[in-house]
Amino acid sequence: SWLSPTPWTALDDRVRGGSSRSHLTPIPGSNRVSFSGTLDTTTLGGAGFASQTTAPSEDRLWDLSGYDGLEVDVVRGDGKVYTLIVKDEEPEGEREDGREKAGVSWEYDFKGEGEGGKVKVGWGEFRATYRGREKKDAGELKIGRIRRFSLMMRSFFDKQEGDFKVELSSISAFKKDKSEKVEVVAERREDSRQYEKTEASIIETTGWLSWLPGSCIVS
């Protein structure tokens, strides 16, 4: 399923006193999910964010060193700008108030077009940030040891607000050679609650969540 074995969890601006909320909901009878919610910008004076992230785990890493980037398959959207985030490190410990410490994030903004489409992002297109600001001395993204993936809706300082919704069918790792592109589509059988995996132009697949099929999990 979309939420197992690597569950997603909300990480909204409520951790900073905001009022935004997000949800990642499997769409029945399909291999899609809906990333939706409400982005509030009044509580924090024009700022705000709502996001879903894979739960951090000490023993779960993704080795994507054999691939050239990520591809987001958007089924339909609302025309708003979303952010795909990857993290290659987890700050140790917690703040005194119990919240997670901030760390470096690698981000790419994309528009959730109404008619959908595939968004292909090379590793070099991800921008390093720290607390929302660009961090030019972050070094290189460690694509062999990815620790977390996130989807975010943010205000861009009062440029976006209100309800949002985008439907996605997959997030995949890709290679520039189309013959080596990894794509796994989960189809729901009418006579069963099980999913049947069909493969197209696949070199290797070790999928998770039906997202990022082809990524490797390193213990």
Side-chain angles (χ1 to χ4, degrees):
S1 75
W2 289 95
L3 304 180
S4 175
T6 304
W8 292 67
T9 185
L11 184 59
D12 304 326
D13 61 19
R14 287 175 291 155
V15 299
R16 299 181 183 175
S19 302
S20 301
R21 291 182 179 275
S22 68
H23 311 278
L24 190 73
T25 308
I27 299 174
S30 75
N31 67 310
R32 307 191 303 272
V33 292
S34 169
F35 173 48
S36 62
T38 302
L39 180 65
D40 173 77
T41 60
T42 58
T43 305
L44 297 178
F49 66 89
S51 70
Q52 290 282 322
T53 180
T54 54
S57 173
E58 292 294 330
D59 58 358
R60 184 172 291 276
L61 300 172
W62 287 272
D63 181 3
L64 299 180
S65 56
Y67 301 94
D68 295 306
L70 300 178
E71 182 180 275
V72 183
D73 193 346
V74 179
V75 178
R76 65 176 59 88
D78 53 11
K80 293 185 176 181
V81 178
Y82 294 80
T83 303
L84 173 65
I85 302 173
V86 296
K87 284 179 174 285
D88 60 6
E89 62 179 33
E90 293 286 355
E92 295 182 2
E94 296 181 339
R95 293 162 38 123
E96 292 183 358
D97 57 10
R99 288 156 48 187
E100 288 186 15
K101 289 183 178 179
V104 175
S105 297
W106 294 82
E107 305 181 352
Y108 181 84
D109 300 325
F110 67 95
K111 183 173 288 188
E113 300 286 2
E115 65 277 13
K118 295 184 178 181
V119 180
K120 187 171 289 188
V121 191
W123 298 126
E125 298 179 81
F126 283 92
R127 178 174 57 97
T129 66
Y130 179 77
R131 293 186 178 275
R133 298 181 181 277
E134 188 169 2
K135 186 173 177 57
K136 295 183 178 181
D137 62 349
E140 295 185 355
L141 173 61
K142 302 179 186 67
I143 59 176
R145 299 182 65 81
I146 301 298
R147 288 185 171 273
R148 195 188 297 202
F149 298 88
S150 303
L151 291 166
M152 177 179 284
M153 162 58 61
R154 53 158 51 106
S155 69
F156 293 103
F157 299 102
D158 225 7
K159 292 182 179 179
Q160 299 189 132
E161 64 177 342
D163 293 340
F164 64 88
K165 182 178 180 180
V166 64
E167 291 184 14
L168 308 174
S169 66
S170 67
I171 299 177
S172 306
F174 74 87
K175 293 184 179 182
K176 290 180 181 178
D177 184 344
K178 290 185 179 180
S179 67
E180 295 185 336
K181 177 184 172 182
V182 177
E183 183 175 351
V184 175
V185 180
E187 296 181 344
R188 192 176 186 84
R189 292 182 178 179
E190 294 297 328
D191 60 347
S192 172
R193 297 184 62 85
Q194 300 298 316
Y195 284 85
E196 178 181 11
K197 290 185 178 179
T198 60
E199 305 177 357
S201 301
I202 295 175
I203 296 300
E204 57 179 316
T205 58
T206 51
W208 62 284
L209 291 177
S210 296
W211 292 57
L212 288 171
S215 63
C216 299
I217 299 174
V218 179
S219 298

